[in-house]
Amino acid sequence: MNRKSIGYLVLLVFLCMVLIGCNNQPQKKPETPQAPLGQKQALQQNEPEITVFMHETGEKKTMKMEEYLAGVVAGEMKTEWPVEALAAQAIIARTFTVEAIESKGGVPERGTQASTDIKEFQAYNAKAVNDNVKKAVEMTRGMIITYQGKPIKGWFHASAGGITATAKEGLNYREAEPAYIQSVQSPDDLAPEDVKNWTVAFSKEDVISAMAKMGKKVSDISSVEIAQKGPSGRATVFMINKEVEVSGPELRVALDSTKLKSMLLDKVMVSEESVTFAGKGYGHGVGMSQWGANRMAKDGKKPEEIVTYYFKGVQVEKRWN
């Protein structure tokens, strides 16, 4: 064998060894696509089951989260409204539920994660669920609103009367103002006339009784003045008889928040026997306005656009598929 043949043979052996060596190397697994920030944990989760206290019967029922949310949306918003508005409500309701479960275990006094009693948790009406509601819940499946990766407090109300409130002015919120809460103009023009502008009178005895519940004792009402207003113009403090300070949001609840619809007041009048309030809007004014969401949906806005309009610097995150 000549030198040239030996050279070819050595080269052939070398190539074979290289190929065998390559085939024996462990195969590198393809990289798993990374979920967007804030969704890694979320997308690994399955739809949770939750326990719900059914206040009508007193029983505790276990159901899928999305089934529960359909009943909440049907209880909290008019079911014939545009699907996009109902979907925005679904995102808010889901957020409210997840935040409550994560922050305090849901409804610990009931030993459940949710309750159908509106005074304890959220409204619920499974009988009112229709195709609109089902579609709204399904199209937002698993979606919640987060701020810096954590669920926000999903506050909402019926009508902002044209402008939403901060948490401190609308709810007399005792903690630091959440960074995601803002006062924005709200398109509430579709609200009924008795929500756009209303007047309600309470007897002086009713006001005195309401103040007593708040630990503020007076024997008569000679004057009621708005002493302080919040950024949106809502009354935050009343001065009674020019000397007794009373929280606006607390007085509203003590008197009856379904009658004294809002603290976005135009005037307060005291007569010989009664105290009359005139104002606009319905609810505490914090977060999403339902009538505003209705208008935005009819104007072609998507559910995510609606909720991110009312809450500042937030993300809509998918927690489960």
Side-chain angles (χ1 to χ4, degrees):
M1 186 179 293
N2 58 34
R3 289 183 180 178
K4 192 173 182 180
S5 299
I6 292 171
Y8 281 130
L9 182 60
V10 170
L11 181 60
L12 182 62
V13 171
F14 175 74
L15 290 172
C16 287
M17 289 177 68
V18 170
L19 289 171
I20 291 169
C22 288
N23 288 336
N24 285 339
Q25 290 296 317
Q27 295 296 307
K28 187 178 181 181
K29 294 181 180 179
E31 292 185 6
T32 303
Q34 295 295 305
L37 184 64
Q39 292 190 21
K40 288 183 181 179
Q41 179 185 5
L43 293 178
Q44 292 171 358
Q45 295 179 2
N46 294 320
E47 177 189 353
E49 280 192 341
I50 61 171
T51 52
V52 182
F53 176 72
M54 314 298 289
H55 86 281
E56 301 87 352
T57 62
E59 67 176 320
K60 295 178 182 180
K61 188 175 179 181
T62 299
M63 65 180 82
K64 290 282 192 180
M65 176 73 86
E66 301 293 332
E67 177 190 350
Y68 163 70
L69 288 167
V72 173
V73 173
E76 294 282 10
M77 187 174 269
K78 296 177 184 294
T79 59
E80 71 274 12
W81 278 10
V83 169
E84 289 76 13
L86 291 162
Q89 184 70 51
I91 296 172
I92 293 277
R94 193 180 291 105
T95 303
F96 179 96
T97 306
V98 171
E99 193 280 334
I101 291 172
E102 290 188 6
S103 66
K104 60 181 180 180
V107 191
E109 59 270 25
R110 296 293 188 185
T112 59
Q113 292 160 305
S115 168
T116 61
D117 187 342
I118 191 170
K119 295 177 182 177
E120 295 177 335
F121 212 65
Q122 298 179 101
Y124 182 86
N125 188 353
K127 293 179 180 177
V129 173
N130 61 8
D131 289 342
N132 255 11
V133 171
K134 290 176 183 176
K135 184 176 179 181
V137 172
E138 183 58 34
M139 69 190 282
T140 63
R141 182 177 176 81
M143 292 182 186
I144 67 167
I145 310 165
T146 62
Y147 181 79
Q148 296 184 345
K150 294 182 179 180
I152 69 167
K153 293 187 179 297
W155 286 312
F156 65 93
H157 55 280
S159 170
I163 186 168
T164 64
T166 63
K168 284 188 176 295
E169 67 170 327
L171 291 162
N172 200 25
Y173 191 60
R174 305 290 179 148
E175 299 175 34
E177 187 73 36
Y180 50 81
I181 293 297
Q182 59 183 338
S183 178
V184 297
Q185 298 297 314
S186 181
D188 295 290
D189 56 296
L190 296 177
E193 291 304 319
D194 64 350
V195 169
K196 287 181 183 177
N197 293 283
W198 48 262
T199 301
V200 62
F202 295 92
S203 69
K204 286 185 175 180
E205 288 76 14
D206 285 342
V207 178
I208 291 168
S209 177
M211 290 177 63
K213 293 178 193 174
M214 302 164 62
K216 308 280 187 177
K217 294 185 179 180
V218 295
S219 57
D220 190 27
I221 303 287
S222 59
S223 66
V224 178
E225 298 171 355
I226 298 173
Q228 292 179 28
K229 291 183 178 183
S232 73
R234 285 170 169 79
T236 56
V237 177
F238 290 110
M239 188 68 76
I240 312 294
N241 299 342
K242 300 189 182 297
E243 59 181 8
V244 182
E245 283 193 358
V246 175
S247 161
E250 289 180 20
L251 181 63
R252 175 175 174 251
V253 172
L255 278 170
D256 187 341
S257 59
T258 64
K259 294 178 181 176
L260 185 50
K261 295 177 180 177
S262 166
M263 283 290 96
L264 194 57
L265 301 173
D266 297 317
K267 55 186 175 180
V268 184
M269 299 161 286
V270 178
S271 66
E272 189 173 334
E273 297 182 349
S274 64
V275 180
T276 301
F277 299 85
K280 48 185 171 285
Y282 195 168
H284 50 64
V286 185
M288 187 185 80
S289 164
Q290 291 177 315
W291 279 104
N294 184 20
R295 162 54 74 192
M296 292 177 75
K298 288 185 175 180
D299 287 345
K301 299 295 183 184
K302 293 182 171 62
E304 296 92 331
E305 292 178 294
I306 295 171
V307 297
T308 54
Y309 175 77
Y310 284 106
F311 297 95
K312 180 174 63 176
V314 297
Q315 302 292 323
V316 176
E317 172 186 311
K318 195 169 178 68
R319 279 289 180 99
W320 55 83
N321 289 316

